[in-house]
Amino acid sequence: MLDWDDLRFFVALADEGSLSAAARRLRVDHATVARRVQALEEKAGIRLFDRRPRRYLLTEKGRLVAERARRMEGEVFALERDILETEGEAPVEISVSAPPVLTSFLLTPKIAAFYEARPRIRLRLVADVRNVSLTRREADIAVRLSRPTDPSLIIRKAGSVRYLLLASPAYLATRRPEQYGFILFDDLLDETPQQVWLKRMAAGRETVLRTNDLGVQCAAAAAGVGIAALPDFVAATYGLKVAGDEGEHIMRDIYITYHHDLRDSDTIAAAVGFLAECLRPER
């Protein structure tokens, strides 16, 4: 008999095309993906993939299996959404995916009060810069800085984030504007609106550091490394000051989104209400 877990790994590899990408999606190591897919092939007695140096290509039989397995996966996730609202006194866990900076600064400080008001709900916060799949139940609710386009999702605008050019007071006091250096995201995040804006504001001046983590950018700015485009609410925590005119900024809207199948869930509604309260503009 085929193991559904093996099929889950197979679908991820079929969708992503490489062990490393499938492993990132499933949050496991690539060796686990390879082992589970091989186990499925051995149980089924067929070859599902043509293995190339950097790519896994579905065989003809593999495409047929993938088509049915995706339908099975969709039904499993739909069933999980249907039974999310359980009866009884046991806590219900809701997984929430959100950008790390919003998770740390805006959501986490208010969780204790939320638990007091809603003792049956427990949150699993996934601080992640990637857009997780709500259809595949990688999370129940997602907080995003770009509006989703999936028509199966319910989308609620919850607020906005103002990005400013921030640096340590000592850094700003010892340099003229033409001597400023800038802290940027790495190339993978080069197209984010705040990165595009920062590069325009830098106007060809030196890039002193690149990193994929906004927390590292905050720490580097606080240590006097340079100027970064950061959310305004981190300034007080890190002792940062605005470089130049505070009127120079960029806004990014915040969206809360969840699958349409969960629209009647009181638990989801309570969690979404909590998130909206944390993210509302007048915070």
Side-chain angles (χ1 to χ4, degrees), residues 153-279:
L153 302 181
I154 292 174
I155 302 163
R156 172 177 176 178
K157 183 179 173 182
S160 57
V161 179
R162 182 174 68 146
Y163 284 83
L164 299 169
L165 298 180
L166 297 175
S168 72
Y171 185 89
L172 297 174
T174 56
R175 288 166 178 78
R176 297 188 302 276
E178 62 269 22
Q179 297 174 314
Y180 289 166
F182 293 83
I183 301 166
L184 275 68
F185 281 120
D186 62 17
D187 292 340
L188 291 176
L189 297 169
D190 229 16
E191 300 306 313
T192 58
Q194 64 268 34
Q195 176 96 329
V196 173
W197 175 71
L198 176 59
K199 290 168 78 171
R200 187 172 71 248
M201 298 301 294
R205 286 171 287 185
E206 183 184 7
T207 297
V208 292
L209 177 66
R210 279 184 178 267
T211 174
N212 68 339
D213 185 83
L214 192 138
V216 173
Q217 291 191 359
C218 292
V225 175
I227 294 171
L230 301 170
D232 57 5
F233 53 77
V234 310
T237 299
Y238 286 92
L240 302 174
K241 298 294 183 184
V242 176
D245 181 3
E246 192 163 340
E248 295 173 337
H249 66 273
I250 185 173
M251 303 293 293
R252 293 201 65 182
D253 291 333
I254 309 172
Y255 299 93
I256 302 171
T257 182
Y258 54 98
H259 199 277
H260 193 265
D261 288 353
L262 298 175
R263 65 191 181 282
D264 297 324
S265 167
D266 292 339
T267 305
I268 291 294
V272 168
F274 162 69
L275 297 172
E277 173 67 20
C278 293
L279 301 169

Side-chain angles (χ1 to χ4, degrees), residues 53-162:
R54 295 177 182 232
R55 193 83 180 157
Y56 274 58
L57 300 177
L58 286 166
T59 63
E60 185 175 347
K61 183 65 75 172
R63 284 193 292 274
L64 293 174
V65 174
E67 189 177 320
R68 295 197 176 194
R70 288 188 184 104
R71 289 203 297 267
M72 289 173 60
E73 184 183 54
E75 288 299 316
V76 168
F77 293 143
L79 177 61
E80 288 179 346
R81 287 190 291 269
D82 286 344
I83 64 176
L84 179 64
E85 200 74 12
T86 57
E87 295 183 0
E89 298 303 317
V92 178
E93 184 180 79
I94 301 296
S95 59
V96 179
S97 170
V101 68
L102 300 185
T103 304
S104 298
F105 282 84
L106 303 184
L107 306 184
T108 305
K110 296 186 176 181
I111 289 177
F114 175 63
Y115 282 174
E116 235 181 275
R118 296 281 184 168
R120 280 195 65 235
I121 300 178
R122 290 293 177 265
L123 299 178
R124 178 164 62 88
L125 292 181
V126 182
D128 206 338
V129 294
R130 72 188 182 101
N131 285 339
V132 301
S133 171
L134 298 178
T135 303
R136 293 194 299 265
R137 275 213 81 202
E138 293 177 0
D140 297 310
I141 303 170
V143 177
R144 295 178 177 171
L145 292 175
S146 56
R147 185 180 178 86
T149 57
D150 186 341
S152 69
L153 302 181
I154 292 174
I155 302 163
R156 172 177 176 178
K157 183 179 173 182
S160 57
V161 179
R162 182 174 68 146

